[in-house]
Amino acid sequence: GGSLDIDYCLFGGTELHSWAGCPSDFLSTLHGLITFAHCSGHPPPEEINERFDRLQRFDTMSWAARSPQPASAQVRYSLGQAWKGAIEIYGRRVLAEQYPDVQAVSGDLIEATLFHLRQIDHRDTHFKGIVWPVFVVGAEAQTAEQREAILAIFGHLIDLFHISLLDIAIAQLKRIWVHPTPYPPGSSWIHEIWERNEGLLLL
């Protein structure tokens, strides 16, 4: 559709100017999901489902194979899969208030996305592209092992970037992890951060 073409024009350059980043198609999908969450009218559920279907249909392996550095194809595949999983998680959580039917996030999705994050070595140039996905997956981490893995990744990110924003992100995650009860239907850790007026790593 026309809106998808416009999204590509807006976000295609983002990928071109940072080859270590995620596919531009993912950015346009994320933009669309965020727009749905904040618009006054409620788009039909079919339009929401089409965005998630489009995300799932994206061929991350083919995208990775088109890397400017062919030897990086495998790590780019993991980068793409990490972004794909994180965008699905974020999209389902951010739309929970308007569309309760899409808010469920499976344990398999969390585990698979974390698996791909862990495949990207902290010494690899692509590692700098995982800040947002690791925060989103971290907010969903349920087990001690998952949370330890997230903190280990953040430790390497802090060594790489040396910015206080990452320390704040860790503090946010630890607060989410000790939340005493499950979030009520239509709410999530995203809404809690919004209520505190903390944008941080959320878009």
Side-chain angles (χ1 to χ4, degrees):
S3 65
L4 300 187
D5 295 336
I6 293 171
D7 282 349
Y8 180 79
C9 292
L10 288 171
F11 296 110
T14 305
E15 182 182 336
L16 293 174
H17 286 95
S18 178
W19 65 266
C22 78
S24 59
D25 197 79
F26 287 176
L27 294 178
S28 64
T29 298
L30 179 60
H31 175 257
L33 294 171
I34 293 171
T35 300
F36 290 150
H38 293 291
C39 68
S40 55
H42 284 195
E46 295 78 16
E47 199 167 344
I48 303 296
N49 291 332
E50 167 54 27
R51 288 284 176 165
F52 284 117
D53 289 344
R54 178 186 177 194
L55 182 66
Q56 291 303 320
R57 289 196 305 267
F58 185 86
D59 187 346
T60 314
M61 186 64 80
S62 294
W63 170 79
R66 295 192 299 271
S67 167
Q69 299 183 8
S72 299
Q74 189 58 46
V75 71
R76 274 172 63 84
Y77 171 71
S78 283
L79 177 68
Q81 287 295 104
W83 271 91
K84 178 187 279 192
I87 290 172
E88 179 174 351
I89 292 168
Y90 186 84
R92 291 186 181 283
R93 294 306 194 200
V94 81
L95 291 168
E97 187 173 359
Q98 297 97 322
Y99 303 92
D101 289 347
V102 305
Q103 72 177 8
V105 172
S106 72
D108 287 346
L109 175 59
I110 298 166
E111 190 62 43
T113 308
L114 179 56
F115 169 82
H116 285 290
L117 287 168
R118 297 175 76 173
Q119 300 308 299
I120 304 171
D121 190 275
H122 67 276
R123 293 159 294 193
D124 191 287
T125 186
H126 297 82
F127 188 73
K128 67 179 183 284
I130 71 170
V131 176
W132 188 81
V134 78
F135 181 82
V136 172
V137 177
E140 297 287 341
Q142 300 296 320
T143 69
E145 181 182 4
Q146 289 174 340
R147 292 172 179 178
E148 287 168 7
I150 293 295
L151 292 176
I153 293 172
F154 264 103
H156 290 305
L157 287 170
I158 289 171
D159 290 341
L160 177 64
F161 289 114
H162 303 288
I163 54 175
S164 59
L165 190 68
L166 296 174
D167 294 304
I168 298 170
I170 291 172
Q172 281 192 322
L173 289 177
K174 289 181 176 179
R175 189 179 68 224
I176 291 167
W177 292 343
V178 298
H179 192 272
T181 58
Y183 292 99
S187 183
S188 71
W189 51 268
I190 294 177
H191 301 89
E192 179 183 341
I193 290 174
W194 283 347
E195 289 168 5
R196 290 173 174 264
N197 294 316
E198 299 173 347
L200 192 63
L201 297 180
L202 302 183
L203 301 179

